[in-house]
Amino acid sequence: MPGAGPSGDAAAHRPASGPHAGPPASAGHPTGVGPGGDGAAHPAAPGPQAAVPGIPGTGAPAYPAAADPHPAAPDARSVSASDTAPTGADAAAPVQGAPVQDRPAASGAGVRLDRRASDEGGGGGDDYTLQAPDPRVAPEPHAAVCVACRAGRVDDDGYCENCGHAQPRERDHMEQERGPVAAVSDRGLRHHRNEDAFAVGTTTLPDGSPVSVAVVCDGVSSATRPDEASLAASRAANASLLDALPRGTHPQQAMHEAILAASEAVNALADEQDGEAREHAPQQNAPACTIVAAVVTAGLLVVGWVGDSRTYWIPVDRSAPAARLTEDDSWAAQMVAAGLMGEAEAYADHRAHAITGWLGADAYELEPHTAAFKPDRPGVVVVCTDGLWNYAESADEMAEAVPADAAERPLHAARVLVGHALDGGGHDNVTVALVPFPAVPQGAGSA
Protein backbone atom coordinates (compact mmCIF):
# COMPACT_ATOMS: atom_id res chain seq x y z
CA MET A 1 0.00 0.00 0.00
CA PRO A 2 1.59 3.33 -0.91
CA GLY A 3 2.37 5.65 1.98
CA ALA A 4 2.22 9.40 2.31
CA GLY A 5 4.14 11.76 0.10
CA PRO A 6 7.68 13.00 0.57
CA SER A 7 6.57 15.82 2.82
CA GLY A 8 5.46 13.40 5.52
CA ASP A 9 7.44 12.57 8.65
CA ALA A 10 5.89 9.52 10.19
CA ALA A 11 8.37 9.16 12.99
CA ALA A 12 7.80 12.74 14.03
CA HIS A 13 4.07 12.50 14.67
CA ARG A 14 1.71 10.62 16.89
CA PRO A 15 -2.08 10.75 16.71
CA ALA A 16 -3.33 14.12 17.83
CA SER A 17 -5.98 13.19 20.38
CA GLY A 18 -5.93 11.60 23.81
CA PRO A 19 -3.28 11.43 26.50
CA HIS A 20 -1.32 8.95 24.46
CA ALA A 21 -1.64 10.94 21.25
CA GLY A 22 -3.42 8.10 19.55
CA PRO A 23 -6.90 6.73 18.81
CA PRO A 24 -8.97 5.09 21.57
CA ALA A 25 -7.82 1.69 22.70
CA SER A 26 -10.95 0.20 21.24
CA ALA A 27 -9.70 1.16 17.81
CA GLY A 28 -6.93 -1.34 18.23
CA HIS A 29 -4.14 -2.00 15.78
CA PRO A 30 -4.42 -3.38 12.29
CA THR A 31 -4.10 -7.13 12.68
CA GLY A 32 -3.12 -9.56 10.01
CA VAL A 33 -2.21 -6.66 7.80
CA GLY A 34 1.07 -7.89 6.36
CA PRO A 35 1.26 -10.54 3.68
CA GLY A 36 1.15 -13.72 5.66
CA GLY A 37 1.20 -11.67 8.91
CA ASP A 38 -0.26 -13.17 12.02
CA GLY A 39 -0.93 -9.83 13.70
CA ALA A 40 -1.38 -11.60 17.04
CA ALA A 41 0.50 -10.85 20.19
CA HIS A 42 1.35 -14.52 20.67
CA PRO A 43 1.67 -16.34 17.35
CA ALA A 44 0.71 -19.97 17.28
CA ALA A 45 3.09 -22.67 16.16
CA PRO A 46 3.96 -22.03 12.51
CA GLY A 47 2.03 -23.95 9.93
CA PRO A 48 1.77 -23.87 6.15
CA GLN A 49 2.23 -20.38 4.78
CA ALA A 50 -0.50 -19.02 2.54
CA ALA A 51 0.41 -17.95 -0.98
CA VAL A 52 1.45 -14.30 -1.18
CA PRO A 53 1.07 -12.18 -4.29
CA GLY A 54 4.43 -10.90 -5.48
CA ILE A 55 6.46 -13.72 -3.91
CA PRO A 56 5.98 -17.02 -5.71
CA GLY A 57 6.36 -20.23 -3.78
CA THR A 58 4.90 -19.01 -0.48
CA GLY A 59 2.57 -21.93 -0.14
CA ALA A 60 5.22 -24.28 1.26
CA PRO A 61 5.62 -24.90 5.01
CA ALA A 62 7.39 -21.91 6.50
CA TYR A 63 10.25 -23.64 8.27
CA PRO A 64 11.62 -27.21 8.39
CA ALA A 65 12.04 -28.89 11.76
CA ALA A 66 15.49 -28.41 13.30
CA ALA A 67 17.59 -31.56 13.61
CA ASP A 68 18.72 -30.80 17.16
CA PRO A 69 16.90 -28.15 19.22
CA HIS A 70 19.55 -28.00 21.96
CA PRO A 71 23.01 -27.93 20.42
CA ALA A 72 25.74 -25.67 21.70
CA ALA A 73 25.13 -22.19 20.26
CA PRO A 74 27.81 -21.13 17.80
CA ASP A 75 29.44 -17.75 18.09
CA ALA A 76 27.29 -14.97 16.68
CA ARG A 77 28.74 -11.90 15.08
CA SER A 78 26.84 -8.66 15.21
CA VAL A 79 27.28 -4.94 15.20
CA SER A 80 24.97 -2.08 16.08
CA ALA A 81 24.82 1.36 14.63
CA SER A 82 26.60 2.86 17.61
CA ASP A 83 29.59 0.59 16.96
CA THR A 84 30.11 1.88 13.45
CA ALA A 85 31.24 5.42 14.08
CA PRO A 86 34.74 6.53 15.13
CA THR A 87 35.14 7.11 18.83
CA GLY A 88 37.39 10.16 18.52
CA ALA A 89 40.89 10.78 19.73
CA ASP A 90 42.37 8.35 22.21
CA ALA A 91 43.18 9.96 25.52
CA ALA A 92 46.93 10.23 25.87
CA ALA A 93 48.58 9.29 29.17
CA PRO A 94 50.56 12.03 30.94
CA VAL A 95 54.17 12.15 29.75
CA GLN A 96 56.98 13.19 32.05
CA GLY A 97 59.25 15.79 30.48
CA ALA A 98 63.02 15.44 30.61
CA PRO A 99 64.44 17.66 33.38
CA VAL A 100 66.50 20.66 32.30
CA GLN A 101 69.78 21.28 34.06
CA ASP A 102 69.59 23.96 36.69
CA ARG A 103 70.91 27.25 35.36
CA PRO A 104 70.62 30.76 36.82
CA ALA A 105 67.79 32.62 35.24
CA ALA A 106 68.67 35.69 33.18
CA SER A 107 68.11 39.03 34.75
CA GLY A 108 64.94 40.79 33.79
CA ALA A 109 61.30 39.78 33.78
CA GLY A 110 60.70 36.22 32.68
CA VAL A 111 62.58 33.86 30.40
CA ARG A 112 63.28 34.89 26.80
CA LEU A 113 62.99 32.11 24.25
CA ASP A 114 64.15 34.19 21.30
CA ARG A 115 67.66 34.86 22.64
CA ARG A 116 70.46 32.73 23.89
CA ALA A 117 71.46 33.14 27.50
CA SER A 118 74.75 34.76 26.43
CA ASP A 119 72.81 37.52 24.66
CA GLU A 120 71.23 38.56 27.94
CA GLY A 121 74.36 38.47 29.97
CA GLY A 122 73.69 35.05 31.39
CA GLY A 123 75.77 31.92 31.12
CA GLY A 124 77.62 31.24 27.88
CA GLY A 125 77.05 28.49 25.37
CA ASP A 126 74.51 28.01 22.63
CA ASP A 127 71.65 26.70 24.79
CA TYR A 128 68.42 28.57 25.40
CA THR A 129 67.23 28.95 28.96
CA LEU A 130 64.00 26.89 29.03
CA GLN A 131 61.61 26.03 31.75
CA ALA A 132 60.99 22.34 32.39
CA PRO A 133 57.63 21.16 30.94
CA ASP A 134 54.82 20.69 33.40
CA PRO A 135 54.47 16.91 33.87
CA ARG A 136 50.79 17.32 34.71
CA VAL A 137 49.93 18.52 31.20
CA ALA A 138 49.34 15.74 28.68
CA PRO A 139 50.15 16.39 25.03
CA GLU A 140 47.39 16.03 22.44
CA PRO A 141 49.04 14.37 19.45
CA HIS A 142 45.70 13.23 17.98
CA ALA A 143 43.47 16.25 18.64
CA ALA A 144 40.52 16.43 16.27
CA VAL A 145 40.80 18.99 13.48
CA CYS A 146 37.84 20.98 12.14
CA VAL A 147 36.26 19.54 9.01
CA ALA A 148 35.46 23.06 7.77
CA CYS A 149 38.61 25.16 8.17
CA ARG A 150 41.01 22.20 8.54
CA ALA A 151 43.00 24.22 11.06
CA GLY A 152 41.11 24.71 14.30
CA ARG A 153 40.99 22.27 17.19
CA VAL A 154 37.58 20.79 18.05
CA ASP A 155 36.52 21.43 21.64
CA ASP A 156 34.66 19.05 23.91
CA ASP A 157 31.30 20.48 22.82
CA GLY A 158 31.94 19.58 19.19
CA TYR A 159 32.69 23.06 17.85
CA CYS A 160 35.82 24.39 16.17
CA GLU A 161 37.81 26.76 18.39
CA ASN A 162 38.99 28.61 15.27
CA CYS A 163 35.92 29.12 13.09
CA GLY A 164 33.12 27.92 15.38
CA HIS A 165 31.82 25.35 12.91
CA ALA A 166 29.79 22.50 14.45
CA GLN A 167 31.40 19.16 13.75
CA PRO A 168 29.60 16.03 12.54
CA ARG A 169 28.49 13.77 15.37
CA GLU A 170 29.12 10.07 15.33
CA ARG A 171 25.49 9.23 14.50
CA ASP A 172 25.12 11.84 11.75
CA HIS A 173 26.25 9.25 9.21
CA MET A 174 26.85 5.56 9.93
CA GLU A 175 27.71 2.63 7.70
CA GLN A 176 28.26 -1.04 8.42
CA GLU A 177 28.75 -4.22 6.41
CA ARG A 178 28.54 -7.52 8.25
CA GLY A 179 28.85 -10.56 6.04
CA PRO A 180 26.18 -10.26 3.34
CA VAL A 181 24.23 -7.60 5.28
CA ALA A 182 24.85 -3.85 4.93
CA ALA A 183 23.24 -0.77 6.45
CA VAL A 184 23.59 3.00 6.14
CA SER A 185 22.02 5.73 8.28
CA ASP A 186 22.15 9.49 7.72
CA ARG A 187 20.85 12.51 9.61
CA GLY A 188 19.28 13.94 6.47
CA LEU A 189 19.18 17.59 5.46
CA ARG A 190 16.55 19.04 7.79
CA HIS A 191 16.98 17.43 11.22
CA HIS A 192 19.56 18.57 13.76
CA ARG A 193 20.32 15.00 14.89
CA ASN A 194 19.87 11.42 13.75
CA GLU A 195 17.12 9.68 15.68
CA ASP A 196 17.34 6.46 13.64
CA ALA A 197 19.41 3.44 14.60
CA PHE A 198 20.18 0.03 13.15
CA ALA A 199 21.85 -3.23 14.12
CA VAL A 200 22.95 -6.03 11.78
CA GLY A 201 24.45 -9.43 12.44
CA THR A 202 25.06 -12.96 11.23
CA THR A 203 25.01 -16.33 12.94
CA THR A 204 24.14 -19.95 12.12
CA LEU A 205 21.16 -22.20 12.74
CA PRO A 206 21.49 -25.53 14.55
CA ASP A 207 22.04 -27.32 11.23
CA GLY A 208 24.97 -25.02 10.44
CA SER A 209 23.22 -23.00 7.75
CA PRO A 210 23.86 -19.22 7.81
CA VAL A 211 21.30 -16.67 8.90
CA SER A 212 21.36 -12.87 8.52
CA VAL A 213 19.61 -10.34 10.74
CA ALA A 214 18.81 -6.65 10.21
CA VAL A 215 16.97 -4.36 12.64
CA VAL A 216 16.03 -0.74 11.88
CA CYS A 217 14.41 1.65 14.38
CA ASP A 218 13.07 5.19 13.99
CA GLY A 219 12.81 7.41 17.08
CA VAL A 220 9.49 9.21 17.58
CA SER A 221 10.45 12.88 17.46
CA SER A 222 7.52 14.07 19.56
CA ALA A 223 8.77 11.93 22.44
CA THR A 224 11.67 12.62 24.74
CA ARG A 225 15.07 11.03 23.97
CA PRO A 226 13.99 9.42 20.68
CA ASP A 227 17.59 8.78 19.65
CA GLU A 228 18.19 6.76 22.80
CA ALA A 229 14.97 4.81 22.26
CA SER A 230 15.89 3.73 18.74
CA LEU A 231 19.40 2.74 19.78
CA ALA A 232 18.21 0.71 22.77
CA ALA A 233 15.53 -1.05 20.73
CA SER A 234 17.81 -1.98 17.83
CA ARG A 235 20.48 -3.37 20.13
CA ALA A 236 18.02 -5.38 22.21
CA ALA A 237 16.20 -6.89 19.23
CA ASN A 238 19.44 -7.80 17.48
CA ALA A 239 20.88 -9.45 20.60
CA SER A 240 17.66 -11.40 21.16
CA LEU A 241 17.61 -12.75 17.60
CA LEU A 242 21.27 -13.74 17.60
CA ASP A 243 20.75 -15.55 20.89
CA ALA A 244 17.55 -17.40 19.97
CA LEU A 245 18.22 -18.51 16.37
CA PRO A 246 21.28 -20.72 17.07
CA ARG A 247 19.30 -22.49 19.81
CA GLY A 248 16.72 -23.69 17.31
CA THR A 249 13.93 -21.20 18.03
CA HIS A 250 11.67 -20.89 15.02
CA PRO A 251 12.58 -17.60 13.26
CA GLN A 252 9.04 -16.25 13.43
CA GLN A 253 8.84 -16.92 17.17
CA ALA A 254 12.34 -15.49 17.60
CA MET A 255 11.20 -12.34 15.81
CA HIS A 256 8.19 -12.00 18.11
CA GLU A 257 10.40 -12.36 21.18
CA ALA A 258 12.93 -9.87 19.78
CA ILE A 259 10.28 -7.16 19.42
CA LEU A 260 9.18 -7.77 23.01
CA ALA A 261 12.81 -7.45 24.13
CA ALA A 262 13.11 -4.19 22.21
CA SER A 263 9.95 -2.90 23.88
CA GLU A 264 11.31 -3.70 27.32
CA ALA A 265 14.54 -1.87 26.52
CA VAL A 266 12.63 1.26 25.51
CA ASN A 267 10.33 1.05 28.54
CA ALA A 268 13.39 0.92 30.77
CA LEU A 269 14.43 4.36 29.50
CA ALA A 270 11.23 5.84 30.92
CA ASP A 271 11.96 4.23 34.28
CA GLU A 272 15.34 6.01 34.36
CA GLN A 273 13.67 9.42 34.52
CA ASP A 274 13.37 10.45 38.16
CA GLY A 275 10.24 11.82 39.73
CA GLU A 276 11.52 15.38 39.87
CA ALA A 277 12.18 15.40 36.12
CA ARG A 278 8.70 14.06 35.40
CA GLU A 279 7.18 16.69 37.68
CA HIS A 280 8.94 19.54 35.86
CA ALA A 281 8.11 18.20 32.39
CA PRO A 282 4.79 16.34 32.67
CA GLN A 283 3.95 17.12 29.05
CA GLN A 284 6.82 15.00 27.70
CA ASN A 285 5.99 11.63 26.25
CA ALA A 286 8.05 8.62 27.26
CA PRO A 287 10.91 7.62 24.92
CA ALA A 288 9.48 5.85 21.89
CA CYS A 289 10.40 4.44 18.48
CA THR A 290 9.19 2.22 15.67
CA ILE A 291 10.88 -1.04 14.74
CA VAL A 292 11.16 -3.25 11.67
CA ALA A 293 13.40 -6.29 11.30
CA ALA A 294 14.18 -9.12 8.90
CA VAL A 295 15.67 -12.59 9.31
CA VAL A 296 16.95 -14.35 6.19
CA THR A 297 17.83 -18.04 6.16
CA ALA A 298 18.25 -20.49 3.29
CA GLY A 299 14.80 -20.44 1.72
CA LEU A 300 12.96 -18.49 4.43
CA LEU A 301 12.32 -14.79 5.01
CA VAL A 302 10.74 -13.57 8.26
CA VAL A 303 9.81 -9.95 8.96
CA GLY A 304 8.49 -8.25 12.08
CA TRP A 305 7.44 -4.68 12.83
CA VAL A 306 5.60 -2.18 14.99
CA GLY A 307 4.99 1.27 13.52
CA ASP A 308 5.47 2.61 10.01
CA SER A 309 9.00 1.52 9.10
CA ARG A 310 8.85 -0.93 6.21
CA THR A 311 10.28 -3.99 4.50
CA TYR A 312 10.28 -4.52 0.72
CA TRP A 313 11.12 -7.57 -1.40
CA ILE A 314 13.06 -6.80 -4.59
CA PRO A 315 13.82 -9.82 -6.82
CA VAL A 316 17.13 -9.95 -8.68
CA ASP A 317 15.16 -10.70 -11.84
CA ARG A 318 13.33 -7.40 -12.23
CA SER A 319 10.85 -9.00 -14.61
CA ALA A 320 9.31 -10.56 -11.48
CA PRO A 321 7.16 -8.29 -9.29
CA ALA A 322 8.49 -6.53 -6.22
CA ALA A 323 6.39 -6.50 -3.05
CA ARG A 324 5.92 -4.58 0.16
CA LEU A 325 5.93 -7.03 3.07
CA THR A 326 4.71 -4.82 5.93
CA GLU A 327 1.62 -2.76 6.59
CA ASP A 328 1.95 0.58 8.39
CA ASP A 329 0.60 1.13 11.87
CA SER A 330 -0.70 4.55 10.86
CA TRP A 331 -3.87 6.59 10.73
CA ALA A 332 -4.07 6.41 6.95
CA ALA A 333 -3.64 2.64 6.88
CA GLN A 334 -6.41 2.24 9.45
CA MET A 335 -8.79 4.44 7.49
CA VAL A 336 -8.19 2.45 4.31
CA ALA A 337 -8.42 -0.91 6.09
CA ALA A 338 -11.72 0.10 7.69
CA GLY A 339 -13.13 1.21 4.34
CA LEU A 340 -13.70 4.74 5.61
CA MET A 341 -11.48 6.38 3.01
CA GLY A 342 -9.89 5.61 -0.29
CA GLU A 343 -6.15 5.26 -0.39
CA ALA A 344 -5.51 8.53 -2.21
CA GLU A 345 -7.79 10.49 0.13
CA ALA A 346 -6.36 8.95 3.29
CA TYR A 347 -2.74 9.56 2.39
CA ALA A 348 -3.47 13.12 1.31
CA ASP A 349 -4.82 13.91 4.78
CA HIS A 350 -2.54 15.78 7.18
CA ARG A 351 -3.07 12.96 9.72
CA ALA A 352 -1.86 10.27 7.33
CA HIS A 353 1.51 9.70 9.02
CA ALA A 354 0.25 9.72 12.59
CA ILE A 355 1.40 6.35 13.90
CA THR A 356 -0.95 4.06 15.80
CA GLY A 357 1.68 1.62 17.01
CA TRP A 358 5.09 2.17 18.58
CA LEU A 359 7.45 0.90 21.26
CA GLY A 360 7.37 2.91 24.47
CA ALA A 361 6.03 3.03 28.00
CA ASP A 362 3.02 5.11 26.89
CA ALA A 363 2.08 2.84 23.98
CA TYR A 364 -1.08 0.82 23.92
CA GLU A 365 -0.94 -2.91 24.47
CA LEU A 366 1.98 -4.09 22.38
CA GLU A 367 0.99 -6.07 19.32
CA PRO A 368 4.03 -7.19 17.31
CA HIS A 369 3.36 -8.10 13.69
CA THR A 370 5.31 -10.97 12.12
CA ALA A 371 5.12 -12.69 8.74
CA ALA A 372 7.03 -15.50 7.03
CA PHE A 373 7.69 -15.92 3.30
CA LYS A 374 9.38 -18.48 1.06
CA PRO A 375 10.55 -16.70 -2.10
CA ASP A 376 11.36 -19.04 -4.97
CA ARG A 377 14.13 -16.89 -6.47
CA PRO A 378 17.07 -14.73 -5.31
CA GLY A 379 16.47 -11.14 -4.34
CA VAL A 380 17.24 -8.47 -1.78
CA VAL A 381 15.27 -7.44 1.30
CA VAL A 382 15.07 -3.68 1.91
CA VAL A 383 14.50 -2.74 5.57
CA CYS A 384 14.02 1.01 5.99
CA THR A 385 12.54 3.96 7.83
CA ASP A 386 10.06 6.36 6.30
CA GLY A 387 12.94 8.73 5.62
CA LEU A 388 13.62 6.51 2.60
CA TRP A 389 10.23 5.17 1.59
CA ASN A 390 8.74 8.66 1.51
CA TYR A 391 10.75 8.98 -1.71
CA ALA A 392 9.96 5.49 -3.04
CA GLU A 393 6.56 4.56 -1.65
CA SER A 394 5.34 1.72 -3.80
CA ALA A 395 7.15 -1.56 -4.33
CA ASP A 396 7.74 -0.67 -7.98
CA GLU A 397 9.23 2.72 -7.05
CA MET A 398 11.52 1.07 -4.51
CA ALA A 399 12.61 -1.53 -7.06
CA GLU A 400 13.45 1.25 -9.49
CA ALA A 401 15.59 3.00 -6.86
CA VAL A 402 17.48 -0.16 -5.80
CA PRO A 403 20.58 -0.76 -7.96
CA ALA A 404 20.52 -3.87 -10.13
CA ASP A 405 23.61 -5.28 -8.39
CA ALA A 406 22.29 -4.74 -4.85
CA ALA A 407 22.53 -8.45 -3.96
CA GLU A 408 26.25 -8.48 -4.86
CA ARG A 409 27.09 -4.98 -3.52
CA PRO A 410 24.67 -4.30 -0.64
CA LEU A 411 26.71 -1.52 0.99
CA HIS A 412 27.00 0.36 -2.29
CA ALA A 413 23.27 -0.09 -2.87
CA ALA A 414 22.44 1.18 0.64
CA ARG A 415 24.53 4.29 -0.05
CA VAL A 416 22.69 4.82 -3.33
CA LEU A 417 19.31 4.57 -1.59
CA VAL A 418 20.30 7.07 1.10
CA GLY A 419 21.50 9.38 -1.68
CA HIS A 420 18.15 8.95 -3.40
CA ALA A 421 16.37 10.24 -0.29
CA LEU A 422 18.80 13.14 0.16
CA ASP A 423 18.43 14.12 -3.48
CA GLY A 424 14.67 14.09 -2.97
CA GLY A 425 14.94 16.62 -0.13
CA GLY A 426 16.20 14.66 2.87
CA HIS A 427 13.35 15.91 5.06
CA ASP A 428 13.85 13.13 7.62
CA ASN A 429 16.56 10.89 8.99
CA VAL A 430 17.28 8.12 6.47
CA THR A 431 18.16 4.54 7.38
CA VAL A 432 18.21 1.43 5.22
CA ALA A 433 19.55 -2.11 5.64
CA LEU A 434 19.87 -4.52 2.72
CA VAL A 435 19.82 -8.30 3.20
CA PRO A 436 20.46 -10.41 0.09
CA PHE A 437 18.21 -13.45 -0.22
CA PRO A 438 20.21 -16.34 -1.71
CA ALA A 439 19.19 -18.49 -4.62
CA VAL A 440 16.85 -21.24 -3.50
CA PRO A 441 18.09 -24.83 -3.97
CA GLN A 442 16.44 -26.64 -6.89
CA GLY A 443 12.92 -27.71 -5.92
CA ALA A 444 13.00 -26.10 -2.46
CA GLY A 445 10.50 -23.35 -3.16
CA SER A 446 7.54 -25.34 -4.46
CA ALA A 447 4.69 -26.76 -2.46
Side-chain angles (χ1 to χ4, degrees), residues 93-116:
V95 178
Q96 293 284 349
V100 175
Q101 293 181 350
D102 293 335
R103 181 180 292 114
S107 60
V111 177
R112 293 289 298 271
L113 303 182
D114 58 339
R115 298 183 186 177
R116 291 191 293 273

Side-chain angles (χ1 to χ4, degrees), residues 132-151:
D134 188 343
R136 297 168 298 177
V137 179
E140 295 180 314
H142 304 295
V145 177
C146 176
V147 298
C149 68
R150 299 291 183 183

Side-chain angles (χ1 to χ4, degrees), residues 189-287:
L189 304 179
R190 303 294 182 90
H191 284 232
H192 72 284
R193 66 180 175 185
N194 191 356
E195 296 169 359
D196 289 357
F198 66 79
V200 295
T202 59
T203 185
T204 56
L205 298 178
D207 62 0
S209 60
V211 57
S212 299
V213 171
V215 182
V216 168
C217 296
D218 186 351
V220 177
S221 295
S222 60
T224 183
R225 298 154 64 194
D227 53 332
E228 295 181 39
S230 62
L231 184 61
S234 61
R235 285 177 167 176
N238 186 61
S240 178
L241 287 167
L242 295 180
D243 175 67
L245 292 169
R247 293 189 282 106
T249 305
H250 184 279
Q252 196 165 356
Q253 181 64 32
M255 180 66 75
H256 175 85
E257 294 172 357
I259 295 177
L260 296 181
S263 176
E264 292 175 0
V266 178
N267 292 348
L269 295 177
D271 296 337
E272 294 174 1
Q273 187 178 15
D274 57 38
E276 183 178 353
R278 286 192 294 267
E279 182 179 350
H280 285 84
Q283 75 284 357
Q284 286 188 334
N285 292 319

Side-chain angles (χ1 to χ4, degrees), residues 171-174 183-187 194 196-198 418 430-431:
R171 287 182 65 175
D172 283 357
H173 185 87
M174 301 173 289
V184 175
S185 181
D186 193 271
R187 185 185 68 182
N194 191 356
D196 289 357
F198 66 79
V418 169
V430 188
T431 302

